[in-house]
Amino acid sequence: APDNFTFKTTPFQHQIEGFEYGLKKDRFLLGDEQGLGKTKQAIDIAVAKKLALGYKHCLIICGVNGLKWNWESEVATHSNEKSKILGSKVNKKGRKVIMGTEDKLYDLEHLPDAYFLITNVESLRSEQIVTAIQKQISLGNINMVIMDEIHKCKNPTSQQGKALLKVKGETKIALSGTPLMNNPLDLYIVLKWLGYESNAFYSFKNHYCVMGGFGGYEIVGYRNLDQLQSNLNDIMLRRLKKDVLDLPDKLHSTEYVEMSKAQAKIYNEVSEEIRANIDKIVVS
């Protein structure tokens, strides 16, 4: 780690090992089991890269839309860096809300004074946004990309799957707590995005899948899995809770989830009804 780097929050031993692993690799998959603090490790690595290499911005892409707020909170907890959810504004009621594509594009074209830029993978469905990200990467303004919950983006034929493969970056970290070897095809996007797979999806599929059935288009089995597992092991750091001995008792955290307009309407209706009938509730 650079001499001027210090952990803002005290890491566990496995997080120190993950941090050191990440400083040695520019492209890897952090596959720790849920609850082992992948987010903190990724944030610490990103801050250390900034101090050591002069990185200007780190882009965080959330595979789950509502986790943008969680990442914003985690950045504030584990670092002294600022973060900005692309397209976010404070409305007249003083609440932070996330606007549409035009506002996200504005933030990408006028990069804010925040090291961490946060968005969701659905944003990549916009060719304009992907182009704006590519431009900032090529200009050296976005140097690092963290793809959280990358297993949510496993379909290489989907719009966001294709878009993710266009988002490069000097340093790339993929995060996933979900075992990825259940279906070998789920690994294609991971390996391709990280730069460890040069073949097109068709060739990848034929190398690891046994085709048969009607017309020979159905997957009837898998092959070369030892080779695939070996390739994965070379680029993945994965620890399980049962193997990590220094964990404390369960840690509780509050995560904020973004509601759709329909969900917010139902929530408000239920909330108003409870308030109206609060005096009728009997506490036993």
Side-chain angles (χ1 to χ4, degrees), residues 157-187:
T157 62
S158 69
Q159 191 175 5
Q160 60 194 38
K162 291 177 180 177
L164 176 62
L165 295 180
K166 296 178 182 178
V167 177
K168 306 300 183 181
E170 189 175 334
T171 293
K172 291 182 285 188
I173 301 178
L175 306 181
S176 177
T178 301
L180 293 169
M181 270 301 285
N182 293 337
N183 183 346
L185 297 185
D186 291 351
L187 282 171

Side-chain angles (χ1 to χ4, degrees), residues 220-279:
V220 296
Y222 299 108
R223 59 189 174 193
N224 301 318
L225 295 186
D226 289 345
Q227 176 190 347
L228 186 59
Q229 185 67 63
S230 176
N231 292 343
L232 182 62
N233 290 342
D234 287 342
I235 65 160
M236 178 178 72
L237 180 64
R238 177 168 172 80
R239 281 77 57 88
L240 304 178
K241 286 181 182 177
K242 64 181 179 66
D243 299 325
V244 178
L245 302 179
D246 64 336
L247 281 182
D249 293 334
K250 186 179 292 186
L251 297 173
H252 296 276
S253 62
T254 301
E255 292 189 5
Y256 295 93
V257 179
E258 193 176 346
M259 291 189 289
S260 66
K261 289 183 179 179
Q263 290 170 329
K265 182 181 178 183
I266 294 172
Y267 176 87
N268 290 331
E269 288 174 355
V270 173
S271 178
E272 289 299 324
E273 184 174 350
I274 291 174
R275 286 195 183 99
N277 295 283
I278 194 71
D279 57 330

Side-chain angles (χ1 to χ4, degrees), residues 13 32 85 95 110 139 141 148 202 250 264 273 275:
Q13 182 57 39
D32 285 349
I85 298 176
R95 291 182 56 200
H110 307 82
L139 290 172
N141 293 326
D148 189 22
Y202 178 81
K250 186 179 292 186
E273 184 174 350
R275 286 195 183 99

Side-chain angles (χ1 to χ4, degrees), residues 31-279:
D32 285 349
E33 190 178 8
Q34 298 286 359
L36 294 187
K38 293 186 293 295
T39 302
K40 171 182 165 51
Q41 293 174 72
I43 291 169
D44 285 337
I45 292 167
V47 173
K49 292 275 189 178
K50 178 188 179 185
L51 295 173
L53 302 173
Y55 281 5
K56 296 179 181 178
H57 293 282
C58 173
L59 175 65
I60 298 167
I61 304 173
C62 302
V64 177
N65 191 19
L67 290 182
K68 295 193 297 291
W69 304 104
N70 184 59
W71 271 97
E72 183 182 53
S73 173
E74 291 286 288
V75 166
T77 298
H78 299 298
S79 82
N80 295 314
E81 298 292 339
K82 297 178 184 177
S83 66
K84 173 71 188 289
I85 298 176
L86 296 180
S88 62
K89 289 186 175 182
V90 177
N91 65 14
K92 294 178 181 178
K93 296 181 180 179
R95 291 182 56 200
K96 186 180 287 186
V97 294
I98 300 173
M99 309 300 285
T101 298
E102 292 303 317
D103 294 277
K104 293 176 183 178
L105 281 172
Y106 181 87
D107 283 342
L108 284 168
E109 290 162 2
H110 307 82
L111 291 174
D113 179 26
Y115 177 54
F116 289 99
L117 309 175
I118 306 169
T119 193
N120 54 298
V121 73
E122 289 85 1
S123 296
L124 302 185
R125 294 174 184 172
S126 165
E127 290 185 15
Q128 289 177 292
I129 287 180
V130 172
T131 300
I133 292 172
Q134 288 176 311
K135 178 182 177 181
Q136 295 297 357
I137 289 173
S138 66
L139 290 172
N141 293 326
I142 294 177
N143 316 93
M144 179 172 174
V145 181
I146 297 170
M147 178 64 219
D148 189 22
E149 305 282 358
I150 194 170
H151 58 275
K152 299 286 186 180
C153 198
K154 61 188 178 184
N155 185 354
T157 62
S158 69
Q159 191 175 5
Q160 60 194 38
K162 291 177 180 177
L164 176 62
L165 295 180
K166 296 178 182 178
V167 177
K168 306 300 183 181
E170 189 175 334
T171 293
K172 291 182 285 188
I173 301 178
L175 306 181
S176 177
T178 301
L180 293 169
M181 270 301 285
N182 293 337
N183 183 346
L185 297 185
D186 291 351
L187 282 171
Y188 180 75
I189 282 282
V190 178
L191 295 171
K192 188 74 171 179
W193 183 66
L194 291 174
Y196 295 103
E197 177 58 51
S198 58
N199 291 310
F201 181 62
Y202 178 81
S203 299
F204 182 88
K205 181 177 179 180
N206 282 317
H207 185 71
Y208 294 110
C209 298
V210 179
M211 309 303 293
F214 182 74
Y217 295 113
E218 296 178 21
I219 297 174
V220 296
Y222 299 108
R223 59 189 174 193
N224 301 318
L225 295 186
D226 289 345
Q227 176 190 347
L228 186 59
Q229 185 67 63
S230 176
N231 292 343
L232 182 62
N233 290 342
D234 287 342
I235 65 160
M236 178 178 72
L237 180 64
R238 177 168 172 80
R239 281 77 57 88
L240 304 178
K241 286 181 182 177
K242 64 181 179 66
D243 299 325
V244 178
L245 302 179
D246 64 336
L247 281 182
D249 293 334
K250 186 179 292 186
L251 297 173
H252 296 276
S253 62
T254 301
E255 292 189 5
Y256 295 93
V257 179
E258 193 176 346
M259 291 189 289
S260 66
K261 289 183 179 179
Q263 290 170 329
K265 182 181 178 183
I266 294 172
Y267 176 87
N268 290 331
E269 288 174 355
V270 173
S271 178
E272 289 299 324
E273 184 174 350
I274 291 174
R275 286 195 183 99
N277 295 283
I278 194 71
D279 57 330

